[in-house]
Amino acid sequence: MCAINGFNYKDLNLIKKMSALTSSRGPDNEGFYSNENYTVAHNRLAIIDPEIRSNQPFHFKNFILSFNGEIFNYIENEYSIQSLKTLTGLGEPKINLDGSAYNDPWGRPQNDGPALRGINMIRLYKLLNKNYKNIIIGARRGSPLAVGYSNEENYLGSDSYALKSMTNKISYLDDGDLCVLSKDKVEFYDVNKRKINKKVYALSDDENISDK
């Protein structure tokens, strides 16, 4: 299941409060990343791969990645990376988070193969690029994802009740939608990369929230 939360400024106390509200989605690990431009949290539910190496958020060079869900098309995506000219272990091409060939030394192949094969997730889930200040990119593929709006601040989260502690104005992403958050605006795109508008829901204090 897992859960993700994030916003466009540094506040570890706030992100820990949001993460506590979504902890039931990921009881196996709680991870955080924060700098002056954004803060991210991840609640992890470990099922297939329980190793600590898979705790999130992931870090690679100028990328921070936190995702919630399962990768169902890993076999198809494996074919797409077979043409990479790179060292291999057990016949598996090694790739970095940005899709480039991994040519550095590695340990036992069974320790890093599954994680590197699954790196195609960058096209499907939340991606933070530290080269762009105050930008958060979120994408929905199966698991719920919502955006909360406030004065000069916007929020991203797996559950709307985590966002409701900051704002009562929330939009829900449909499957395949993409959103780009900055402090002063939010832009939405559909699965065909067309810019779209999303309905904003005003939630009352006593409203029973159900994620979509």
Side-chain angles (χ1 to χ4, degrees):
M1 187 182 295
C2 302
I4 57 177
N5 293 289
F7 44 81
N8 300 86
Y9 56 95
K10 185 174 184 177
D11 192 331
L12 279 174
N13 290 330
L14 178 58
I15 199 68
K16 288 180 178 179
K17 291 178 181 178
M18 294 176 67
S19 184
L21 291 171
T22 55
S23 61
S24 61
R25 283 181 167 269
D28 296 317
N29 186 72
E30 186 179 44
F32 303 97
Y33 178 86
S34 182
N35 66 17
E36 296 301 324
N37 299 313
Y38 41 72
T39 304
V40 184
H42 183 268
N43 303 108
R44 182 185 176 202
L45 176 63
I47 300 176
I48 298 177
D49 177 16
E51 300 296 328
I52 61 173
R53 67 170 184 270
S54 298
N55 290 340
Q56 298 184 49
F58 292 133
H59 297 236
F60 174 75
K61 293 183 179 179
N62 62 324
F63 292 102
I64 307 298
L65 173 69
S66 179
F67 81 100
N68 163 28
E70 300 178 46
I71 301 173
F72 294 101
N73 64 334
Y74 64 92
I75 295 178
E76 293 88 343
N77 280 280
E78 180 73 1
Y79 286 113
S80 70
I81 63 174
Q82 289 294 332
S83 61
L84 284 174
K85 295 180 179 180
T86 176
L87 298 174
T88 61
L90 297 181
E92 299 172 348
K94 305 300 182 183
I95 59 174
N96 292 312
L97 182 58
D98 60 358
S100 62
Y102 178 87
N103 290 308
D104 296 325
W106 63 78
R108 299 170 64 189
Q110 58 264 42
N111 281 342
D112 66 350
L116 292 170
R117 285 202 311 272
I119 219 66
N120 65 82
M121 68 183 75
I122 63 174
R123 298 179 180 177
L124 306 178
Y125 299 97
K126 185 177 177 183
L127 176 66
L128 303 181
N129 186 333
K130 291 191 287 188
N131 283 338
Y132 298 92
K133 293 184 176 181
N134 300 323
I135 293 295
I136 294 181
I137 301 175
R140 176 175 177 178
R141 182 66 178 269
S143 301
L145 196 60
V147 171
Y149 309 90
S150 188
N151 294 330
E152 298 183 355
E153 298 169 359
N154 296 302
Y155 307 90
L156 188 70
S158 295
D159 288 310
S160 54
Y161 54 79
L163 304 176
K164 194 181 177 185
S165 60
M166 287 80 67
T167 177
N168 69 333
K169 296 181 179 180
I170 292 174
S171 291
Y172 298 93
L173 277 72
D174 293 318
D175 205 38
D177 284 352
L178 177 78
C179 64
V180 181
L181 280 73
S182 61
K183 279 192 173 183
D184 57 350
K185 66 178 180 179
V186 181
E187 295 179 340
F188 294 94
Y189 299 86
D190 64 15
V191 68
N192 297 312
K193 301 179 182 179
R194 294 175 299 196
K195 193 172 182 179
I196 57 175
N197 295 319
K198 302 296 293 185
K199 182 177 179 179
V200 179
Y201 293 87
L203 306 177
S204 62
D205 291 338
D206 58 352
E207 186 168 354
N208 183 22
I209 302 174
S210 59
D211 288 296
K212 301 187 176 183

